[in-house]
Amino acid sequence: MTLDPMTLALSMADTMLLQTERSGRTLDEIRRIADTIHTMMAATGQDVSADRIAREIESRFEVWVPREVWVEDPRDHAPWLTDRQDKIEWAYWDRYKTWLTRRSGWKPPAVEALSDSTDTVLSLLEDPERPGEWSVKGLTYGQVQSGKTANYTGLICKAVDAGYQVVVVLTGAHESLRHQTQTRLDLEFLGFNSRFTRQQTSESIYVGVGNLGLKNPPLCLSITTRDKDFSVSAFESATADPRRVRLLAVVKKNARILENLRDWLGNFTTEQADGRRLATDVPLLLIDDEADYASVDTKKPRRGGSASDPEHDPTRINQCIRDVLNLFEKRAYVAYTATPFANIFISDETDHPEYRDDLFPRSFMVALSPPSNYCGPEVVFGLEDPTADVVREPLPVIRDVADEGAWMPDGHIKEYQPPRELPRSLKQAIDAFVLGTATRKARTEYFGSRAGHNTMLVHVTRFKAVQFAVARQLTLHLREMDDLWGDRGAAGVVMRQRLRELWEQDFVPTYAELADRSDLAGLVGEPITFDQVESVLGEVLAECAQAVKTINGEAADVLEYESSTPATVIAVGGDKLSRGLTLEGLTVSYYLRASRTYDTLMQMGRWFGYRSGYLDVTRLYTTRELVDSYVHVTRASRELMDLVSSLAATGRRPVDVGLRVQDGYEHLQVTAGAKMRNSTSVSLSSAGQRPETLYMRTTGQAMVENHARLERLVDVVRGYEAVPEELRRGAKGLMRRGVPASAVIEFLDGFAASSKILQARPQTLVDYISRQNALGELTTWTIAVTAGSSPQMFTVGGETFRMVKRKLLDSAGSVSAGTDFQVGVLVSPDHEAIGLSAEAHERAFQATRREFSRRNDRTPQRPSGAEIRRHRDPREGLLLVYPVDPAEWVDGVQPEGVPLVGYALSLPNSDTAKPVRYRVNETYLRELQQMVAEADDDAEGDKE
């Protein structure tokens, strides 16, 4: 296939730049490569502008992907990939890599990162050529909709290239997800359409990678098809022999289906000397997608017993998975999930006489970090980014829903029939979807932007009958809108005016705010006018009137995204929409359904993902309570990710790593109670933490009291030594050091704080500081009352400063006085280093660089907060006070000129300290018990 000159130039540029260390991919290096390629092509008579090449390269390499981190158990693992890498013909992987680059629009750094992370996971598996019996159990996790399917697709390609013979992919419990997964593997791994054939023949209907014109890899048969799981008929008709040909099976987590698969695979086993039947020398790779769902053994052991007891009968799906694994002499199990909470609570000590060990990831745990163009919960809600140099603002795409009660009340029954009149918020969400879809179509028409699918999610109830009723209501509403579009009478004029007003009042300012943010480069589309959008609205409304699909176990509707023609879909559903199912081109979500567990709640967040070129038309319509819950769960997930990252540096094994998940936020729990049977709720220390008031009270009384408390603090500290300019780290405000702990305790004790803050509760901190004082720690403090850039001024201690600007993290964009003011992050990135000596700052910076070089190739601009707290003297604490300007975000706030006083404490690491409540696994609990026992032994020794 002949490439046009520009495509050829970019292909050469990709090769040259990918051979450069990531840290060396500077603008100067990009320009040098562009000039080199221009000269080379000019010599062959092809004139391609060096400036254009440089611009295109810069655009292609603007995405940055952090390296994955992992912990592993080196015991009984023989490193192999480095030695075999150059001897393997990577036929499946080369096709997939080419597909991603040419057809799926992946940027070269993202493909490069995928190659690195799949190499990591593959290397942690065993060499398929390793003789004898071996078993691997691992876990790979990343964020919702961040590319886990791409990761395990790449892993499958590489594993089959390396010699794995049988690949089983377990999807969720619903056929729709299995259907979607099979279709994707047809497209990106097999290269032929399993709807028409199970193997690649000369008559096959090629799809995806099969159409690239590349060398076909060794034959791999599919014993499932897009439309047919491994049912009884498939069992009876399957003739392939996994000992002689590579096989793929994509099956849902249904006990009967898995039993069919187990029984069929059992036909290829032989009896061993110990009486077991094994398929020998047939390496198995079993991918368990959504591994925290249905795979975990939730069956309670008998009283006083354990899951290792012979009479313990695991849940059927868990039993079937273990049965399939135990049929193979060489077996690798890799769990994939965005919510690994249930998986880390699986017992690592189970050894059942029949089913053997459970699915605890004893061999490895890999944490995938998403690319910089991923819009995850941290981006959406404006939470702290450890690599950012500025305070991240929440995206202005969340819209408050407060009128749903009469239409869809909490606690409604399965026979409930919603009133015919849709709530105003849902009508507006539909209008926003219509405008967003029209915007994307207009951009394709006027600017040549890449066309894509357009989807709206409506997730308001778990009851199927109610979902059908909602779908009927939406269809009627959209058909009425379609009819009105052609009506030039009063009703038609009203609808057109309504759409124009939403455009002007919502879409225009939202676009302006997002387009002005440098951290969202490439995610916001071209500027466009309402007239351009209006020109395609008629076409969009006609599509929407036919677009409503009910996605549940009783509906015949399926989500079809396979056509090259962009689809317009409004998906109404429940559980089937909340587990792994990808909603292509999701722009508008209307989400009301609450959950009581972290994992289910996060899995329902289908709106997280990649929105390149259309982030500005995305909207999330939901309640304030759900936003608060998502923020809490996101912080718990981030803490878990950071914990694995820090433990990876210690060389600990998964079985040695005690994992913890922050527990307890209003009605939420970490995961279902049955999945937490092997976990315990414990209270852990505040040492090394940074508690901060991410919620601030806005009642007049609370504001006045806290401001007066700040006044008293300033009066106390004014006589102490000022923090030298070089130790202020560029911060402005009143700063003193050498202040006694009593001043901090007096400031915190009785502070008017929100009931929603957990670690930062004033009394919790007062108690902690007092306990540490008794141990000779946190006895002296640096106090920093920071000033900001707000036009609003405040006076404290006779000095006047500008208030600090922090954006409200709230779906409505404003709150009434008396409602808590919530921010995504309070502390500015450099402020934790205030007062830290130059030597300690440099040590913390070097430690951060070492950690970044191990985890990724991006150069940090400052020491991380964790390293600062690790290098601060345990005798010293830092209190940061933020006088936040409420004027822009709080309606009716009184009194004027008084800030919202927020605080954060940077608490150094300590070997002596105590407690925040966490849900911990058995390993963590054993470690705690051992520490207590050792402390008791030491105490007894002291007595002697």
Side-chain angles (χ1 to χ4, degrees), residues 69-90:
V69 296
W70 66 93
V71 292
E72 61 175 306
D73 188 345
R75 298 178 303 178
D76 196 34
H77 173 62
W80 63 281
L81 187 57
T82 302
D83 291 338
R84 280 196 63 204
Q85 191 120 26
D86 295 335
K87 302 171 187 175
I88 297 172
E89 185 174 354
W90 299 104

Side-chain angles (χ1 to χ4, degrees), residues 508-520:
V508 171
T510 299
Y511 180 88
E513 184 172 347
L514 292 174
D516 194 45
R517 285 179 51 168
S518 59
D519 61 319
L520 301 177

Side-chain angles (χ1 to χ4, degrees), residues 433-452:
F433 178 65
V434 169
L435 288 172
T437 302
T439 297
R440 296 187 67 196
K441 286 182 178 291
R443 283 174 175 159
T444 300
E445 181 175 323
Y446 288 96
F447 298 100
S449 300
R450 185 176 179 178

Side-chain angles (χ1 to χ4, degrees), residues 148-435:
K148 293 182 298 300
T149 305
N151 191 277
Y152 72 66
T153 300
L155 177 63
I156 289 170
C157 291
K158 289 184 175 180
V160 173
D161 284 333
Y164 276 84
Q165 194 79 0
V166 176
V167 177
V168 175
V169 180
L170 305 182
T171 66
H174 299 292
E175 178 61 22
S176 53
L177 179 55
R178 195 207 69 81
H179 173 109
Q180 192 176 80
T181 303
Q182 178 83 54
T183 299
R184 184 155 175 184
L185 289 173
D186 285 0
L187 195 73
E188 299 179 339
F189 168 59
L190 294 174
F192 56 87
N193 194 329
S194 66
R195 292 180 67 185
F196 304 104
T197 180
R198 292 186 180 181
Q199 61 179 301
Q200 188 165 310
T201 66
S202 57
E203 294 81 28
S204 295
I205 298 179
Y206 293 97
V207 296
V209 295
N211 286 322
L212 292 176
L214 301 178
K215 178 182 177 181
N216 285 326
L219 180 65
C220 182
L221 306 184
S222 179
I223 60 172
T224 54
T225 74
R226 198 195 76 161
D227 297 328
K228 197 169 187 180
D229 204 343
F230 204 68
S231 60
V232 172
S233 60
F235 179 1
E236 293 172 347
S237 62
T239 58
D241 187 336
R243 295 167 297 189
R244 295 181 173 81
V245 65
R246 294 170 177 82
L247 295 180
L248 169 70
V250 182
V251 297
K252 60 179 172 286
K253 294 182 196 177
N254 173 281
R256 187 67 207 134
I257 295 292
L258 289 172
E259 286 166 354
N260 290 339
L261 180 65
R262 177 198 63 195
D263 294 346
W264 181 73
L265 290 170
N267 294 326
F268 307 103
T269 61
T270 56
E271 188 169 349
Q272 306 301 299
D274 60 2
R276 290 184 298 148
R277 295 192 63 85
L278 290 176
T280 56
D281 213 23
V282 182
L284 165 75
L285 172 61
L286 193 154
I287 302 290
D288 188 355
D289 194 13
E290 303 297 328
D292 60 311
Y293 183 69
S295 301
V296 179
D297 178 16
T298 57
K299 190 79 70 70
K300 185 177 181 179
R302 296 188 180 185
R303 183 185 297 272
S306 73
S308 298
D309 295 336
E311 65 271 17
H312 177 67
D313 188 21
T315 51
R316 284 181 70 194
I317 290 176
N318 174 269
Q319 181 185 134
C320 287
I321 294 172
R322 291 157 72 179
D323 278 344
V324 169
L325 290 169
N326 292 331
L327 287 173
F328 288 81
E329 176 191 37
K330 308 171 189 293
R331 54 193 180 272
Y333 168 88
V334 186
Y336 275 81
T337 181
T339 48
F341 307 120
N343 302 86
I344 68 174
F345 295 141
I346 296 172
S347 174
D348 63 290
E349 295 186 326
T350 300
D351 186 15
H352 193 279
E354 181 178 354
Y355 307 115
R356 309 181 76 178
D357 60 326
D358 206 344
L359 302 179
F360 178 78
R362 54 175 169 74
S363 304
F364 63 84
M365 298 178 187
V366 177
L368 302 174
S369 297
S372 58
N373 62 337
Y374 169 72
C375 289
E378 284 101 338
V379 175
V380 173
F381 300 122
L383 305 182
E384 182 182 19
D385 178 0
T387 66
D389 297 318
V390 296
V391 174
R392 174 187 273 159
E393 301 286 3
L395 298 183
V397 300
I398 303 172
R399 301 293 177 264
D400 188 44
V401 174
D403 61 351
E404 82 288 357
W407 177 69
M408 194 64 61
D410 290 341
H412 61 269
I413 60 176
K414 63 181 180 181
E415 295 84 9
Y416 175 73
Q417 287 295 312
R420 181 173 182 180
E421 184 67 19
L422 297 176
R424 181 177 179 277
S425 59
L426 180 51
K427 292 179 181 178
Q428 186 184 97
I430 294 169
D431 287 350
F433 178 65
V434 169
L435 288 172

